[in-house]
């Protein structure tokens, strides 16, 4: 019988891991939008997130603009981009070229998504159909470039659904799909938005029972805009909480709506953290005010590269 390992006999080798923080951004559609976005980026950068995800339009529209944004983030900021990549409508050859382009810019994180189906439901001949196929393709490209990636492999993320996906027969099927993505090489998942405090905990319980072991990070949006909540409900089939919608509609001012929405978002995020969430992913819609308000009220246990550097500087001054 082999002796117990040092790790087994010393379970408390380090403090609890800090909570991860990340944001979602999308490419600007005009010069004015670009100015607003970069103001948001500079504000969010001060919070030292672990990464920011960069999305783009349906069917790959404005993908080139997304790559330009990723390049600027890598060159001009301290932020680590997580590049969204959808596979519907693209062949393996086309997608392998895009993956290679992202890696050449310095991207080391990809969120692998199926993407929206065409309105007629028809896909291009030879194109990939599922996120699972895209994950496997990313891993094949990674394998071919393994010598170049010795200092940082690719982290592959996927989507998870606290409420049933509108095209899925059941929540159980959604979990089976998530498990299949894990088996294909997914490292973590970020959830679709949700509106009820128990939904994340329920997803986590069902996923763990099914054998999903990867981190499942709750995605939350500041619940401050009636228009945005209604639009999101139409797009995703996720019904916003009626009580919240009534309170937002009855608010007398934008400031009151901001406070109501931020408090509701904080409640959702805290419920997810209490259930064991390893981090929080905030859908910003390229706006920083409500995201930062949520962050202030959450008081997440966070590491700080700035604080570490500042501490080192103080120690250096004391020693001199």
């Amino acid at each position: 019988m082999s002796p117990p390992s040092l790790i087994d006999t010393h379970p408390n080798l380090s403090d609890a891991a800090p909570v991860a923080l990340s944001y979602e951004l999308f490419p600007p559609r005009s010069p004015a939008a670009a100015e607003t976005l970069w103001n948001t980026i500079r504000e969010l950068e001060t919070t030292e997130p672990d990464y920011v995800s960069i999305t783009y339009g349906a069917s790959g529209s404005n993908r080139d603009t997304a790559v330009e944004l990723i390049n600027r983030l890598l060159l001009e900021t301290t932020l680590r981009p997580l590049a969204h990549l959808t596979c519907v409508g693209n062949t393996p050859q086309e997608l392998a070229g895009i993956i290679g382009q992202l890696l050449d810019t310095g991207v080391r994180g990809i969120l692998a998504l199926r993407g929206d189906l065409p309105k007629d439901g028809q896909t291009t001949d030879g194109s990939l159909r599922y996120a699972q196929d895209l994950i496997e393709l990313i891993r094949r490209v990674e394998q071919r470039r393994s010598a170049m990636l010795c200092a940082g492999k690719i982290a592959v993320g996927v989507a998870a659904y606290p409420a049933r996906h509108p095209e899925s027969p059941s929540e159980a099927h959604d979990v089976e799909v998530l498990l299949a993505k894990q088996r294909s090489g997914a490292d973590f998942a970020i959830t679709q938005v949700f509106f009820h405090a128990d939904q994340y905990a329920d997803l986590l319980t069902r996923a763990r029972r099914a054998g999903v072991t990867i981190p499942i990070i709750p995605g939350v949006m500041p619940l401050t805009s009636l228009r945005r909540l209604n639009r999101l409900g139409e797009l995703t089939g996720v019904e916003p909480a009626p009580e919240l919608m009534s309170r937002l509609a009855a608010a007398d001012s934008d400031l009151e709506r901001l406070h109501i929405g931020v408090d509701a978002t904080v409640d959702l995020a805290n419920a997810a953290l209490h259930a064991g969430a390893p981090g929080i992913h905030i859908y910003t819609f390229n706006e920083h005010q409500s995201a930062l308000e949520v962050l202030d009220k959450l008081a997440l246990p966070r590491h700080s590269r700035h604080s570490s550097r500042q501490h080192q500087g103080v120690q250096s001054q004391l020693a001199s």
Side-chain angles (χ1 to χ4, degrees):
M1 181 177 179
S2 29
S5 75
L6 288 175
I7 294 174
D8 290 336
T9 55
H10 297 277
N12 299 318
L13 293 176
S14 64
D15 295 330
V19 173
L21 172 65
S22 54
Y23 304 105
E24 181 182 279
L25 302 169
F26 57 81
R29 298 183 178 92
S30 68
E35 184 177 349
T36 299
L37 170 62
W38 277 92
N39 183 36
T40 288
I41 287 171
R42 295 305 181 189
E43 292 289 340
L44 297 180
E45 187 178 17
T46 64
T47 68
E48 299 184 337
D50 295 282
Y51 57 91
V52 291
S53 71
I54 307 300
T55 184
Y56 51 82
S59 303
S61 63
N62 73 334
R63 182 180 282 144
D64 290 343
T65 311
V67 173
E68 289 173 12
L69 175 57
I70 288 168
N71 268 318
R72 282 196 66 185
L73 289 172
L74 287 165
L75 291 171
E76 300 177 25
T77 77
T78 60
L79 299 173
R80 303 181 184 95
L82 171 70
H84 287 224
L85 185 59
T86 58
C87 63
V88 167
N90 291 103
T91 65
Q93 293 77 15
E94 291 167 338
L95 288 164
I98 296 166
I99 295 164
Q101 180 186 15
L102 291 171
L103 297 182
D104 288 343
T105 65
V107 168
R108 292 297 179 266
I110 297 175
L111 192 65
L113 306 166
R114 186 197 69 177
D116 296 330
L117 291 172
K119 292 181 180 178
D120 60 7
Q122 300 298 313
T123 57
T124 307
D125 289 344
S127 68
L128 297 188
R129 297 182 61 192
Y130 301 110
Q132 185 179 350
D133 300 323
L134 179 56
I135 297 163
E136 292 170 0
L137 177 63
I138 293 168
R139 292 306 184 199
R140 289 201 294 274
V141 173
E142 178 184 50
Q143 189 174 30
R144 289 202 299 268
R145 290 169 168 252
S146 58
M148 298 169 61
L149 297 169
C150 288
K153 294 288 188 177
I154 305 170
V156 179
V158 295
Y161 297 90
R164 183 180 62 83
H165 188 285
E167 298 175 24
S168 170
S170 66
E171 292 179 340
H173 179 263
D174 289 338
V175 170
E176 290 173 9
V177 171
L178 181 58
L179 182 60
K181 292 174 184 177
Q182 173 180 285
R183 288 171 176 158
S184 293
D187 295 303
F188 66 98
I190 298 174
T191 76
Q192 172 72 275
V193 294
F194 56 99
F195 299 106
H196 303 281
D198 59 347
Q199 287 179 313
Y200 174 80
D202 287 348
L203 168 63
L204 202 61
T205 298
R206 289 184 282 109
R208 296 297 182 243
R209 285 176 179 168
V212 176
T213 58
I214 59 175
I216 300 175
I217 301 164
V220 298
M221 63 173 283
L223 306 170
T224 56
S225 167
L226 271 172
R227 177 188 58 80
R228 190 170 288 154
L229 288 171
N230 280 318
R231 179 63 175 153
L232 190 69
E234 294 170 4
L235 290 173
T236 65
V238 178
E239 188 69 27
E243 181 184 351
L244 172 63
M245 300 293 281
S246 297
R247 291 182 63 204
L248 289 172
D252 293 327
S253 66
D254 288 342
L255 183 60
E256 186 179 353
R257 271 185 287 275
L258 176 67
H259 289 158
I260 291 169
V262 165
D263 286 344
T265 308
V266 169
D267 288 344
L268 278 184
N270 276 329
L273 291 168
H274 182 71
I280 297 293
H281 185 70
I282 301 178
Y283 297 107
T284 68
F285 295 90
N286 287 7
E287 299 168 1
H288 61 269
Q289 181 185 6
S290 53
L292 294 179
E293 293 266 0
V294 168
L295 194 59
D296 284 344
K297 290 199 170 189
L298 276 176
L300 299 177
R302 295 279 297 145
H303 64 79
S304 173
R305 296 188 299 275
H306 174 75
S307 296
S308 176
R309 290 194 299 270
Q310 189 178 55
H311 175 73
Q312 290 170 0
V314 170
Q315 292 298 319
S316 177
Q317 289 175 5
L318 291 174
S320 59

